[in-house]
Amino acid sequence: MSTLTPVTFVLTDLDTLAARTGRIAVFIDAQGKLDPGARRVNRLTKGAVARLVESARWGELKDGNVVSLAYPAGMAADAVDVVRLERNAKGMAARKAGAALAKARGGKADMLLLCAPLRHAQEVVFGLVMRDYAFEPHKSAASTRGGALTVMQTKPEELEAACAPLMAVAEGAHLCRDLTNEPANVLTTTAYAERLKEMESIGLKVEVLDEDALAKLGMRTLLSVGQGSVSPSYVVAMQWNGGKKGDAPLALVGKGVVFDTGGISLKPGAGMGDMTMDMGGSAVVAGVMRTLALRGARANVVGLVGIVENMPSGNASRPGDVVTTMKGDTVENLNTDAEGRLVLCDVMWYAQDHYKPAAMIDLATLTGAIITSLGHENAGVFSNDTSFCNDFLKAAEAEGEGAWRMPLGQAYDDLLKSRIADMKNIGGPAAGSITAAQFLQRFVKEDCPWIHLDIAGVASVKSATALAPVGATGWGVASLNRLIADNYETE
Ligand code: BES
Ligand code: MN
Ligand code: ZN
């Protein structure tokens, strides 16, 4: 498990600055007005900060940009990082400033933030901690990462308290990234189920359903996806009951295909290695559950993940096979690479049947087509309930996580008609993400508000995003946590 940058909160003491080693960050607004901390650094450096602020360059900077003054005379520090930021900056502007500082820190230098002028310093700290991530367990050279963050503030306890729930989000997002980045020979289905079971140590109730239990429940469709793999299939249910006893929970359901070869409908070789992230939806669910537990959320939430591996073998399911879902409907499997929906349909049905949720959200790296539609900027959002959907879109917007609503409709559903069974698992070349969502909607009960998030484009990326380096992003943990905080928590 990667660990968060350690952060300590201390009372502002400017007399310690001259001797301080590592890096020191000061925050200055567009007008260039120096607060006492920046003034002291300016005096120690014989006016270097003021020269920067008065230069033409200062005017060209955007909120959240950083200029580093290296090896400043008059100070023991290796660098002074001057951050342009409005004093009341919050949301993404403040988080991007934190992310820029994480880059300057390079994952190793000790860093002191002189946060006194900022009204929402917790947002800067959050951005820094989120961006300060690297997936290193398989590098044989010893890690060069280290160093700590010290935050100076006039009311350090208040800032520490404001930071605590955000650190829980960062913990959840980091877990999500760790799981999503992990290759499939390490994160086998069994290893994955065991890692989730370990979250009992933070107060979650975790139940692992093995193949016998799944067969008894009638999850034949899910089992059909895993039957070609030597690794057994599982469903793991993680419960957080922080809300009122008896209140119906929110259900989160995740696709956990630890590796997707496509099965007998084998994928092409180029890029197949990326399919180690095909459990990204389930990793978001795990991340959110961790966040809720760590911050003691006053809400009832159940996270369910279907963990399988999609492999070709003599025992694998064939194109043309007909399988019966837990719901009882039959599916003609015309493409074994359209496996995610076959996993989700049974877990979604079980979620509603067993937990009677107030609402349900599923997450999946479901279709390549959503990447064609929305690229890597937005997840596809599908819903049967506009008010619920808008609550989510609002939360995603506030967290700076791209999300864009897509349509559903009878004409798309019609594309799933099968000659010999109740439905096919593919719709044809057109509207691939929508027909996948239509397939899932067939397993949503009439009165259950539901959102489907197709995160194939956003779960793992090839170029760094605002708060994440290349690789798994943790997209969704912050948005879902906010959705829960804003709509599902009891007083
Ligand atoms: N896991 C893939 C979708 C995917 C593609 C995720 C790219 C991340 C990046 C999914 O199981 C899949 O293979 N979908 C097929 C569906 C098709 C056969 C109807 C696809 O998108 O090609
Ligand atoms: Mn597939
Ligand atoms: Zn897949």
Side-chain angles (χ1 to χ4, degrees):
M1 255 292 279
S2 60
T3 48
L4 295 193
T5 318
V7 189
T8 41
F9 300 84
V10 300
L11 188 64
T12 305
D13 179 2
L14 301 182
D15 292 334
T16 61
L17 295 186
R20 184 102 198 171
T21 56
R23 308 181 75 96
I24 300 180
V26 297
F27 298 85
I28 304 175
D29 64 13
Q31 286 70 46
K33 198 168 170 323
L34 307 192
D35 80 300
R39 266 208 307 277
R40 176 67 69 96
V41 172
N42 186 50
R43 203 168 74 219
L44 291 168
T45 58
K46 300 189 174 52
V49 176
R51 278 174 62 203
L52 167 63
V53 166
E54 284 153 19
S55 72
R57 184 164 177 207
W58 187 253
E60 291 158 13
L61 296 180
K62 294 200 194 75
D63 241 22
N65 285 170
V66 174
V67 176
S68 298
L69 310 175
Y71 303 103
M75 299 184 79
D78 287 342
V80 171
D81 296 305
V82 183
V83 187
R84 203 194 102 167
L85 194 63
E86 293 308 310
R87 294 182 171 205
N88 63 1
K90 53 182 178 187
M92 270 326 269
R95 291 177 182 190
K96 278 185 183 160
L101 287 172
K103 274 206 224 161
R105 198 180 89 84
K108 42 183 177 279
D110 285 331
M111 188 176 249
L112 173 70
L113 305 187
L114 296 179
C115 279
L118 300 178
R119 286 199 29 219
H120 308 282
Q122 69 273 17
E123 296 281 335
V124 175
V125 175
F126 177 68
L128 199 160
V129 169
M130 280 292 276
R131 185 65 179 76
D132 207 359
Y133 173 86
F135 185 68
E136 293 192 313
H138 308 296
K139 298 273 192 192
S140 54
S143 175
T144 58
R145 294 174 64 79
L149 191 63
T150 309
V151 182
M152 267 193 184
Q153 245 275 3
T154 38
K155 290 179 180 154
E157 307 81 20
E158 267 180 33
L159 180 56
E160 186 164 9
C163 270
L166 290 171
M167 293 302 106
V169 175
E171 288 274 7
H174 277 47
L175 170 68
C176 174
R177 291 174 186 170
D178 281 351
L179 293 169
T180 305
N181 282 325
E182 196 70 270
N185 64 323
V186 177
L187 195 74
T188 61
T189 57
T190 303
Y192 195 3
E194 280 166 2
R195 268 170 92 157
L196 297 181
K197 185 77 182 165
E198 277 166 23
M199 289 214 287
E200 285 194 323
S201 66
I202 55 170
L204 292 165
K205 196 173 144 195
V206 184
E207 189 188 4
V208 178
L209 303 174
D210 64 11
E211 288 188 344
D212 285 344
L214 300 180
K216 278 205 193 89
L217 286 165
M219 293 204 206
R220 296 173 205 84
T221 318
L222 179 147
L223 289 168
S224 78
V225 175
Q227 77 189 33
S229 169
V230 295
S231 299
S233 302
Y234 300 93
V235 168
V236 179
M238 299 162 268
Q239 275 181 275
W240 175 253
N241 294 318
K244 265 210 226 82
K245 207 169 172 292
D247 271 7
L250 171 70
L252 303 176
V253 175
K255 168 179 173 181
V257 176
V258 296
F259 196 79
D260 180 13
T261 62
I264 297 298
S265 311
L266 195 64
K267 284 182 181 297
M272 201 202 278
D274 290 343
M275 284 303 117
T276 188
M277 53 70 98
D278 209 21
M279 31 55 68
S282 62
V284 177
V285 174
V288 174
M289 297 313 294
R290 180 170 174 82
T291 295
L292 297 177
L294 291 180
R295 70 175 180 82
R298 300 168 81 81
N300 296 338
V301 180
V302 57
L304 293 128
V305 296
I307 301 179
V308 304
E309 185 175 42
N310 188 20
M311 293 290 260
S313 82
N315 197 39
S317 60
R318 292 149 291 251
D321 282 3
V322 174
V323 285
T324 306
T325 62
M326 181 179 174
K327 181 185 174 191
D329 293 352
T330 57
V331 179
E332 185 184 11
N333 182 352
L334 285 178
N335 189 325
T336 65
D337 197 13
E339 86 296 344
R341 62 201 77 180
L342 301 178
V343 174
L344 287 172
C345 70
D346 278 345
V347 185
M348 284 164 58
W349 194 256
Y350 175 68
Q352 294 164 93
D353 209 46
H354 198 261
Y355 293 96
K356 309 278 183 281
M360 175 166 68
I361 302 176
D362 78 82
L363 296 107
T365 50
L366 200 63
T367 65
I370 201 68
I371 308 176
T372 308
S373 302
L374 300 174
H376 302 283
E377 308 306 318
N378 286 285
V381 182
F382 302 80
S383 181
N384 63 357
D385 184 315
T386 294
S387 130
F388 183 36
C389 186
N390 286 344
D391 287 344
F392 177 77
L393 291 172
K394 205 173 130 203
E397 164 103 45
E399 295 295 338
E401 293 183 324
W404 194 262
R405 190 172 184 184
M406 302 281 289
L408 290 164
Q410 188 58 46
Y412 297 111
D413 186 79
D414 289 345
L415 298 172
L416 296 172
K417 279 186 185 146
S418 159
R419 185 175 57 85
I420 64 166
D422 296 336
M423 70 194 89
K424 301 185 288 187
N425 70 331
I426 51 169
S433 306
I434 307 176
T435 51
Q438 291 294 162
F439 183 97
L440 297 179
Q441 190 174 8
R442 288 181 174 225
F443 300 88
V444 178
K445 293 187 181 175
E446 201 64 44
D447 56 353
C448 182
W450 160 72
I451 296 171
H452 157 56
L453 299 171
D454 192 336
I455 62 168
V458 296
S460 184
V461 293
K462 303 258 186 263
S463 49
T465 52
L467 298 185
V470 173
T473 60
W475 183 100
V477 173
S479 298
L480 290 169
N481 175 66
R482 180 180 289 264
L483 176 80
I484 291 162
D486 288 353
N487 300 283
Y488 291 88
E489 297 213 28
T490 54
E491 289 312 308

